[in-house]
């Protein structure tokens, strides 16, 4: 029974992995290696590799949660106890996380996805155009005199 659940959910990772490989024309191991060597050479590839890693990690969490739930269900009488319901909720949360990451990967691979063309894409490109090293407008420290003039009463004395 656990094979049915795991095989169905693992297909999400398998299908997206195949799409990534077709999109970039190389296997995931090659793509990961290329991104590791030159992460700035292809920002799209770098993002896809990062999110594919998140997807694989979330699938592993989901697989463990499903295994734990199935093990608990095998020992349950006809009614399910609270700890087992907690495991079921953990599975639901893991599915949600995995599916969300899968959506990000799908979006990254779709050049026609909403937000990738038009005004939204232009705004995003302006934000991404190199990380700012400083303020947008050049600034300088305000001019301050080196010492307090002697003509100021109380200059140089501590005020309590």
């Amino acid at each position: 029974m656990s094979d049915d659940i795991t095989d169905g959910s693992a297909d999400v990772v398998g299908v997206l992995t195949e799409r990534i490989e077709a999109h970039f024309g190389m296997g995931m191991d090659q793509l990961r290696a290329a991104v590791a060597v030159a992460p700035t050479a292809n920002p799209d590839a770098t993002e896809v590799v990062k999110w594919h890693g998140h997807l694989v990690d979330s699938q592993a969490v989901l697989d463990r949660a499903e295994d734990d739930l199935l093990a608990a269900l095998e020992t349950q009488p006809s009614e399910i106890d609270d700890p087992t319901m907690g495991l079921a909720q953990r599975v639901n949360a893991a599915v949600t996380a995995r599916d969300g990451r899968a959506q990000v990967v799908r979006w990254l691979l779709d050049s026609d996805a909403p937000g990738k063309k038009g005004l939204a894409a232009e705004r995003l490109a302006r934000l991404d155009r190199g990380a700012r090293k400083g303020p947008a407008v050049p600034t300088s420290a305000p001019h301050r005199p080196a010492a307090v003039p002697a003509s100021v009463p109380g200059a140089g004395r501590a005020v309590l």
Side-chain angles (χ1 to χ4, degrees):
M1 183 172 203
S2 69
D3 289 339
D4 294 340
I5 292 173
T6 303
D7 289 346
S9 59
D11 285 344
V12 171
V13 175
V15 166
L16 288 174
T17 300
E18 288 174 10
R19 285 185 58 195
I20 292 167
E21 292 172 344
H23 183 82
F24 291 100
M26 63 178 75
M28 277 307 298
D29 291 338
Q30 289 176 297
L31 187 58
R32 267 191 231 96
V35 164
V37 170
T40 58
N42 186 337
D44 292 340
T46 301
E47 278 298 299
V48 167
V49 167
K50 176 179 91 172
W51 281 97
H52 182 267
H54 293 322
L55 175 62
V56 169
D57 292 344
S58 64
Q59 182 64 52
V61 168
L62 174 56
D63 291 344
R64 283 190 303 276
E66 287 176 335
D67 290 345
D68 292 347
L69 176 60
L70 289 172
L73 288 172
E74 289 173 358
T75 64
Q76 291 292 303
S78 61
E79 289 187 29
I80 297 175
D81 61 12
D82 288 342
T84 305
M85 284 302 295
L87 291 173
Q89 290 170 346
R90 197 173 104 205
V91 169
N92 286 337
V95 168
T96 300
R98 191 271 324 267
D99 289 351
R101 291 170 177 179
Q103 284 181 322
V104 171
V105 171
R106 279 188 213 104
W107 184 84
L108 290 169
L109 293 173
D110 184 358
S111 59
D112 294 326
K116 288 196 169 184
K117 291 187 177 190
L119 187 57
E122 290 173 21
R123 287 181 181 156
L124 184 61
R126 275 183 271 162
L127 290 174
D128 285 345
R129 230 181 270 145
R132 279 202 176 121
K133 304 290 188 245
V137 177
T139 61
S140 59
H143 176 70
R144 295 195 177 146
V148 177
S151 62
V152 176
R157 288 191 232 161
V159 178
L160 298 174

